[in-house]
Amino acid sequence: MTDIANGASEATGIIGAAFADEIVTNAHTKLVSVPGIEGPVALITLDNGFDHTKPNSFGPAGLLAFDKALDEAFAANPAAIAVTGKPFIFAAGADLKGVPSITTREQGVELGQLGHRVFRRLRESSVPTFAFVNGVALGGGLEVGLHCHYRTFADNVGALGLPEAMLGLVPGWGGTQLLPNLIGPSNAVTVAIENPLNNGKVINSKKALELGIADVVLGSADFIEQSLAWAAQVIAGDITPARPEIDRGAGWDEAIARAKAIVDGKTKNNAPGAVRTVELLELARTTDLTDPKSLDAGFAAEDNALADLLMTDELRAGLYAFDLVNKRAKRPAGAPDKSLARKITGVGIVGAGLMASQLAMLFVKQLKVPVILTDIDSERIDKGVGYVHGEIDKLLAKGRLSPDGANRLKALVTGSLDKAAFAKTDFVIEAVFENMDVKKKVFAELEEHISPETVLATNTSSLSITEMAAGLEHPERVVGFHFFNPVAVLPLLEVVKGEKTDDATLATAFATAKALRKSAVGSADLPGFVFNRLLIRALGEVMNAVDEGTPFDVADNAIAELGMPMTPFTLLALVGPAIALHTGETLNAAYPERFKPSPGLEAIVEARKPGVWTWTDKGQVVDPEVAALWHQGDNPSTSEEVLERTRRAFAEEIRIMLEEGVVAAPEDIDLCLILGGGFGFWNGGITPYLDRTGTSEAVNGKTFLAKGVASV
């Protein structure tokens, strides 16, 4: 630990010890002369000494280093103070690695107070302060900019935001009080609530300018020079950045109502960080930025919210989930040495329906290699190729592709009725009807035309890879490659190893997943693999409860606190009852004692009903035809009983899957549910929630995770 870090431990008392391993972001003050400005500009550069792969962050020692740099800056009696970052990085917020070591609420209060004390020096400075945001600025990093009087942003910055609500925190160093009073409550709700709960969405510098966070966007090539020149114009009075008048009446009411609706819709108010963020945004209506006492009150509310949340299991689960998505997902358990992976120079796709067309778009966009589609007739092939061309045109219209780039991608996508066209491919994936005989026939036909080393991948959601490869001359090159719909949105990709799948094939599958910018999780070749097996088990409990007599609305709304992004019957309509039934039948055949068929589901599939719910002028109601088809018993359950049986089903199935070796660890289960189904960060996926509620021990006699891994 550095001298500064040692100083932090003394100067910040009880909080310093929790951050003993902090990678300190130092702050270097340099006095620069700028044409048009009388006196020097104190330019403070945040830099932790590493490249852009290790972003600047603020722990206690980093905050004190920044404080010391501000001392030096003010002592120079400058004409202005400006803060910038190392190449590509401004600052990525608080150092969260120390959070698991925080054991008392008092430590949380101290951490919040320290950040406020240091950052507000920029706001309360008698000389103009500027943030030159040259790169990533998230959380506390963006809050540094909010405390400054003026903000310039480089035009290539693509990651800006306040993601705390997603993690289980609040923007705790001024963000909730300053942002709505700078850009208005509605825009603040977008940045602090809507975007974080939309899979951690971030904004770019152009959007920051539209919202009013940025005062100006400047070219990245000579960004600091341009920023200093712009600052000179501000100091001279030639430029006065616009500041909107803030609506503290109906506009604020509407913004808070929207925020509450988003939090309820996304989390059913089960995410404490999001709920507290809304409360703080509501409080900001009465915060007067010109009155230090008013700011004291607003910042104290942030300190208290931060301290409360730091002592919740939901926050620890959120940080665990964040770590899974950002670290474990990049190093898949069970992946062979990447040096074994073969290069992909051409891709074949069997099928030209919607799923196959989405796959073709993904492969050509990310790999930029020839992609050939095939199907049973020219009309289907033409439709599939047309879909891809249409998606490329959309990217062109949005400015995300140049005309030349769009034409090059279109030229790479072709179709053929003759599978001999696949002779030069290295990777062929089938996306045909979910039927074992059909898939085996497809692979047998392909093997006549492709090289022995061409990977044969299947997008099956539940069928056996081993059985599919049986009878082939080269079963070792068959692998499961299960995408989730919509392909462009959901990041999970299950890579399934068959009994004879060799390491080269498996390594190629993992490498291809990475090239496609998907997060791969390895799975054993057992029915349903990971995500669908758990999903069908949970949906089965809900549907069985309805079969027994539980009202549809009671069963559908009972399991909201599990953290699924939509209700079971809403999800059923999205997936399709027929697909859910087919997967359920596969699992019932393998595990009949746990996966019980639902007569009601069978009835609506036979009648080709698209789902349970329909909409009338009275809102969402059960489709009368479904109600007539779905015969119910006389043994209804309460919502609490449905929740409890679903929890227990999850706990039992996860234990069995771990015993069977479906995945390497509980972390992979959670990763699949987060990435494949959008399960809530505040639950850490599912196993931390099952541990927290006592379900794991009640069902299995022990927790899935060690104490403190995703809990206080």
Side-chain angles (χ1 to χ4, degrees):
M1 191 165 68
T2 68
D3 291 339
I4 291 176
N6 282 315
S9 184
E10 295 173 15
T12 62
I14 56 176
I15 189 61
F19 290 82
D21 296 324
E22 177 183 349
I23 296 175
V24 180
T25 294
N26 286 297
H28 308 285
T29 303
K30 179 182 179 182
L31 300 179
V32 296
S33 297
V34 180
I37 299 179
E38 289 188 20
V41 173
L43 181 63
I44 299 173
T45 302
L46 304 171
D47 190 347
N48 64 4
F50 292 87
D51 66 16
H52 66 281
T53 60
K54 263 197 179 131
N56 298 328
S57 60
F58 292 112
L63 290 170
L64 287 181
F66 192 20
D67 198 28
K68 181 181 177 183
L70 287 170
D71 285 341
E72 295 172 0
F74 283 115
N77 193 27
I81 295 173
V83 183
T84 192
K86 67 182 183 180
F88 310 109
I89 303 289
F90 186 73
D95 179 0
L96 299 174
K97 296 190 299 298
V99 169
S101 299
I102 291 176
T103 56
T104 68
R105 188 181 183 281
E106 289 72 25
Q107 289 174 299
V109 171
E110 189 173 338
L111 183 62
Q113 290 175 339
L114 178 60
H116 279 127
R117 180 181 71 75
V118 175
F119 290 176
R120 74 186 294 176
R121 295 183 69 185
L122 294 161
R123 168 160 207 83
E124 296 173 354
S125 167
S126 58
V127 300
T129 58
F130 296 81
F132 296 164
V133 182
N134 64 308
V136 173
L138 297 169
L142 188 59
E143 285 170 306
V144 169
L146 296 178
H147 278 273
C148 291
H149 301 150
Y150 308 99
R151 288 157 294 282
T152 70
F153 283 67
D155 61 5
N156 64 342
V157 179
L160 305 164
L162 296 174
E164 287 86 350
M166 175 187 75
L167 299 176
L169 283 168
V170 296
W173 285 333
T176 68
Q177 304 306 291
L178 301 179
L179 189 64
N181 283 299
L182 174 70
I183 67 174
S186 182
N187 284 344
V189 166
T190 298
V191 175
I193 294 293
E194 186 174 15
N195 287 352
L197 296 184
N198 186 18
N199 298 318
K201 181 180 178 181
V202 294
I203 61 173
N204 58 22
S205 51
K206 180 182 176 183
K207 186 66 176 179
L209 184 64
E210 289 176 16
L211 292 172
I213 299 172
D215 289 321
V216 65
V217 173
L218 302 170
S220 58
D222 54 351
F223 174 66
I224 298 299
E225 291 82 355
Q226 287 191 66
S227 293
L228 288 168
W230 184 85
Q233 291 179 284
V234 171
I235 293 169
D238 298 331
I239 293 176
T240 303
R243 296 286 184 260
E245 185 176 343
I246 305 300
D247 181 352
R248 299 184 185 281
W252 209 292
D253 290 336
E254 291 167 6
I256 295 302
R258 182 165 74 91
K260 289 180 177 178
I262 292 168
V263 174
D264 180 58
K266 292 282 189 179
T267 76
K268 297 302 178 188
N269 297 318
N270 288 306
V275 172
R276 292 296 289 271
T277 300
V278 175
E279 292 173 359
L280 289 166
L281 291 173
E282 192 164 14
L283 172 68
R285 186 204 304 250
T286 58
T287 298
D288 181 354
L289 302 189
T290 66
D291 179 0
K293 289 186 178 179
S294 181
L295 270 180
D296 286 344
F299 290 171
E302 287 185 339
D303 293 337
N304 284 316
L306 179 67
D308 290 342
L309 292 166
L310 283 169
M311 299 311 298
T312 63
D313 285 332
E314 287 87 350
L315 168 62
R316 307 304 173 99
L319 296 179
Y320 160 84
F322 183 77
D323 195 60
L324 292 181
V325 170
N326 287 279
K327 293 182 180 178
R328 190 175 183 90
K330 295 174 182 176
R331 296 186 290 274
D337 192 309
K338 61 184 179 182
S339 66
L340 296 173
R342 301 186 183 108
K343 187 176 181 181
I344 303 300
T345 61
V347 173
I349 298 177
V350 183
L354 179 58
M355 190 63 165
S357 300
Q358 290 182 73
L359 295 180
M361 178 61 194
L362 177 69
F363 275 94
V364 76
K365 179 185 173 187
Q366 301 298 348
L367 302 188
K368 295 178 176 58
V369 299
V371 174
I372 304 169
L373 287 137
T374 190
D375 211 312
I376 58 175
D377 58 54
S378 297
E379 183 179 348
R380 296 182 194 218
I381 293 172
D382 291 344
K383 186 176 179 181
V385 173
Y387 171 89
V388 179
H389 285 188
E391 291 300 301
I392 292 170
D393 285 336
K394 290 178 185 177
L395 295 178
L396 174 63
K398 292 176 181 176
R400 294 171 62 185
L401 280 176
S402 67
D404 284 347
N407 288 334
R408 280 196 295 271
L409 287 186
K410 285 182 180 180
L412 290 171
V413 183
T414 58
S416 175
L417 279 170
D418 187 355
K419 292 186 178 65
F422 286 12
K424 293 184 178 180
T425 60
D426 311 289
F427 191 100
V428 180
I429 183 168
E430 67 77 23
V432 299
F433 183 65
E434 191 76 344
N435 176 278
M436 180 62 78
D437 291 337
V438 172
K439 292 179 185 290
K440 290 181 77 169
K441 181 181 178 184
V442 164
F443 277 175
E445 292 174 353
L446 284 169
E447 203 166 36
E448 297 176 14
H449 303 288
I450 59 177
S451 79
E453 292 188 340
T454 295
V455 171
L456 285 178
T458 170
N459 187 44
T460 181
S461 59
S462 61
L463 299 178
S464 169
I465 311 304
T466 301
E467 183 180 348
M468 211 176 294
L472 293 179
E473 188 176 347
H474 293 285
E476 71 280 357
R477 43 92 167 273
V478 178
V479 65
F481 212 59
H482 179 217
F483 289 89
F484 290 77
N485 199 12
V487 171
V489 176
L490 293 175
L492 178 64
L493 203 163
E494 291 177 337
V495 174
V496 188
K497 183 182 187 299
E499 185 178 307
K500 295 188 177 180
T501 305
D502 64 18
D503 283 350
T505 298
L506 202 60
T508 304
F510 277 106
T512 303
K514 184 176 182 179
L516 294 173
R517 297 187 180 179
K518 295 296 180 183
S519 296
V521 174
S523 170
D525 184 20
L526 287 166
F529 313 134
V530 186
F531 182 84
N532 280 343
R533 177 163 166 182
L534 286 169
L535 182 69
I536 295 300
R537 180 77 199 270
L539 288 180
E541 295 298 328
V542 172
M543 288 187 288
N544 290 157
V546 173
D547 290 327
E548 294 160 9
T550 306
F552 285 91
D553 61 334
V554 171
D556 201 29
N557 293 307
I559 65 171
E561 71 175 60
L562 292 180
M564 294 170 65
M566 60 189 74
T567 67
F569 286 128
T570 302
L571 182 61
L572 180 69
L574 181 67
V575 171
I579 292 174
L581 177 63
H582 176 78
T583 305
E585 288 172 341
T586 301
L587 286 159
N588 170 254
Y591 310 109
E593 69 283 1
R594 301 193 308 279
F595 290 84
K596 299 172 183 175
S598 165
L601 177 62
E602 292 171 349
I604 68 168
V605 169
E606 187 175 351
R608 298 190 175 182
K609 299 299 297 181
V612 167
W613 300 115
T614 189
W615 286 89
T616 69
D617 53 3
K618 296 180 181 178
Q620 179 179 277
V621 298
V622 178
D623 182 333
E625 293 182 20
V626 169
L629 289 165
W630 200 307
H631 299 299
Q632 293 185 267
D634 56 3
N635 186 29
S637 297
T638 65
S639 59
E640 292 78 11
E641 289 168 337
V642 175
L643 174 61
E644 179 62 14
R645 71 190 282 178
T646 308
R647 280 177 180 162
R648 294 181 70 89
F650 262 118
E652 180 185 40
E653 202 62 35
I654 292 169
R655 172 183 57 78
I656 293 169
M657 290 169 71
L658 292 171
E659 289 172 350
E660 291 176 340
V662 174
V663 290
E667 288 85 346
D668 296 313
I669 296 284
D670 294 321
L671 193 55
C672 283
L673 294 184
I674 293 166
L675 296 178
F679 275 59
F681 265 46
W682 62 93
N683 281 343
I686 191 68
T687 66
Y689 166 83
L690 296 173
D691 289 349
R692 183 172 79 237
T693 56
T695 310
S696 305
E697 287 192 85
V699 174
N700 302 322
K702 62 180 181 179
T703 59
F704 288 109
L705 302 171
K707 191 70 174 171
V709 170
S711 57
V712 177

